[in-house]
Amino acid sequence: TRSPHLDAQPLEKRKSMVLAELGGRITNALRTMTSNTVIDEETVDNMLKEIAAALLASDVNVKLVSKLRKNVKNRINLEDLATGLNRRRMIQQAVFEELCEMLNPGKAPYQPKKGKPNVIMFVGLQGSGKTTSCTKYALHYHRKNFKTCLVCADTFRAGAFDQLKQNATKARIPFYGSYTERDPVKIAQDGVEMFTKEGQEIIIVDTSGRHKQEASLFEEMQQIAAAVDPDDVVFVLDSSIGQAAHDQASAFKDAVSVGSVIMTKLDGHAKGGGALSAVAATESPIIFIGTGEHFDDFEQFQVRSFVSRLLGLGDVGGLMN
C-alpha cells in the first residue's frame, strides 16, 4: 500500500522517494520523542530503539545498526537538549549526520578523464540489472560529451550479447562482442584494444553474472581485470536482495577491487537498507541509483539529499549543512 502523501508528490519526486517506509518510521520516532515534555536518557533510548528496529526491518546489517545507535548517542548532548535548545532539530541533525556517515565511505568515486581511455568494468550477480546499467552509464557520460562504448564479455548467459547489442543500438553507443569467441577474457581484451585505437574515452566492459557467488565467476572476473586493467570496477547491486547485500558485496570486494557501487531496482518494493550495508561492505561510494527500466531512470547519487529525502525533509541536503 502506498501512503497517501506519496501520491500527492509529482512523479519524479515519487520515483526518487526510495525507502519511504523506512523514512516514515524514522521520522515518527523523532516526532514521538520530541513531543515529550521531558527529554531524558530514556526518551532518547526509546527513539534510538525504534530507529534501530526500522533499519533492521529494512535489511540494514546488524553491526551497522548498533554502531549507528552508539554514535547518535555520542553526538547528542543532553545538557544542551534539556534547556529546550531546539531539541527536535538537534536530534534530527544527529540522526541525519550518522545516516550520512553510514553512506559515506570517505573516498571520492573515480572520475573519468577526457582525452584518454577510461576502462570501466561492471560486475554483479545475474539479474541485478548489470547490462542495462552499463548502457545507462554509457549514455550518462555520452551526454556529457564523452566518447563512450560497450564491450560484451559475458559469454555465459545466452542472449547476453543480443541484449547489449539491442541496448547499445537503441542508445546509439558503439559496441563490441562476438557470437563465436567463447573466451570472455579474449573478447574483453580485443574490445578494449580496438576501442582504445579508435580514441574512445569511456570503454565499459560488461562481465558475466551468475545466479550464485560461484568460484568460477570470481576467477573469470579476476582474469578479465588482469587483462584489461580497469580504472574503476563498478559493482551493480540489486537493492531488493535484502540482508544478503552485505555478504554479497563483501565477496565481490574480496575478489576484485570494487571502486564504486550502482544500486538498481529502487523503484519497486525494495526495502533498500541493503544500500547502506553495501557501502559499508565495499568501502566504496554509491555513484548512481537505478529507479526503473528506462535509460533515463538513472540518478546520480548524492548522500545528503538521499538522507534528507529518507527523513522526509524533502531534497534539502544543502540546507542541512
Side-chain angles (χ1 to χ4, degrees):
T1 57
R2 184 185 283 289
S3 64
H5 73 276
L6 275 183
D7 282 318
Q9 300 281 346
L11 184 66
E12 65 275 10
K13 201 70 173 164
R14 203 160 74 211
K15 180 183 77 174
S16 55
M17 285 197 72
V18 288
L19 316 188
E21 197 183 319
L22 169 62
R25 285 187 67 177
I26 293 177
T27 314
N28 279 341
L30 286 165
R31 201 171 288 135
T32 310
M33 184 214 59
T34 51
S35 62
N36 284 8
T37 36
V38 180
I39 292 187
D40 54 15
E41 199 87 22
E42 193 186 343
T43 333
V44 172
D45 281 342
N46 286 340
M47 172 206 68
L48 288 173
K49 202 176 286 176
E50 175 54 30
I51 289 176
L55 288 166
L56 288 169
S58 292
D59 296 324
V60 179
N61 181 269
V62 181
K63 283 185 190 146
L64 287 179
V65 175
S66 56
K67 188 175 156 193
L68 178 110
R69 270 178 85 162
K70 205 168 84 195
N71 291 355
V72 170
K73 250 189 119 161
N74 292 344
R75 273 181 192 267
I76 296 172
N77 182 349
L78 279 177
E79 303 288 293
D80 288 346
L81 296 184
T83 59
L85 236 177
N86 204 342
R87 295 174 297 196
R88 180 170 181 185
R89 167 119 186 131
M90 284 180 68
I91 291 164
Q92 197 175 41
Q93 185 75 33
V95 173
F96 178 86
E97 294 298 345
E98 274 311 314
L99 284 167
C100 287
E101 275 305 301
M102 230 177 175
L103 281 164
N104 178 9
K107 68 174 188 191
Y110 175 75
Q111 294 297 338
K113 292 156 197 71
K114 286 189 86 74
K116 73 178 269 292
N118 300 266
V119 178
I120 315 290
M121 178 173 155
F122 272 60
V123 301
L125 289 192
Q126 191 169 317
S128 61
K130 184 165 43 61
T131 302
T132 308
S133 296
C134 285
T135 312
K136 289 176 173 181
Y137 184 97
L139 204 52
H140 171 84
Y141 281 105
H142 176 68
R143 287 170 176 159
K144 289 179 177 278
N145 295 320
F146 276 87
K147 292 179 190 157
T148 63
C149 58
L150 294 157
V151 176
C152 179
D154 179 354
T155 54
F156 179 79
R157 179 168 66 95
F161 181 36
D162 283 329
Q163 187 197 349
L164 183 127
K165 189 170 159 183
Q166 216 177 348
N167 283 352
T169 308
K170 207 164 148 187
R172 297 193 173 142
I173 305 281
F175 62 91
Y176 177 86
S178 171
Y179 285 114
T180 50
E181 177 58 67
R182 300 309 301 153
D183 179 6
V185 181
K186 182 161 178 21
I187 295 175
Q189 226 166 357
D190 291 352
V192 169
E193 213 167 285
M194 180 187 95
F195 283 133
T196 302
K197 278 182 191 148
E198 285 182 13
Q200 296 288 353
E201 295 168 316
I202 293 184
I203 305 169
I204 298 158
V205 180
D206 187 16
T207 63
S208 302
R210 298 283 198 275
H211 280 302
K212 286 194 200 72
Q213 285 133 268
E214 294 164 18
S216 58
L217 162 65
F218 289 125
E219 243 165 77
E220 188 182 290
M221 273 185 341
Q222 287 163 334
Q223 286 165 358
I224 292 174
V228 303
D229 190 18
D231 295 285
D232 191 20
V233 176
V234 177
F235 171 55
V236 180
L237 180 75
D238 173 349
S239 63
S240 62
I241 64 159
Q243 281 287 354
H246 190 273
D247 295 344
Q248 200 191 98
S250 300
F252 274 87
K253 175 75 177 171
D254 291 345
V256 284
S257 54
V258 171
S260 316
V261 178
I262 290 178
M263 293 290 301
T264 60
K265 306 186 190 174
L266 273 165
D267 53 326
H269 299 292
K271 297 175 187 169
L276 302 163
S277 305
V279 172
T282 57
E283 295 168 357
S284 305
I286 298 177
I287 49 171
F288 292 101
I289 51 179
T291 53
E293 283 299 302
H294 301 290
F295 293 157
D296 287 336
D297 297 333
F298 201 53
E299 297 180 14
Q300 264 187 297
F301 184 78
Q302 307 284 345
V303 174
R304 295 182 84 78
S305 72
F306 181 81
V307 175
S308 296
R309 293 191 305 223
L310 179 64
L311 294 179
L313 304 169
D315 200 346
V316 290
L319 294 178
M320 290 297 286
N321 287 334

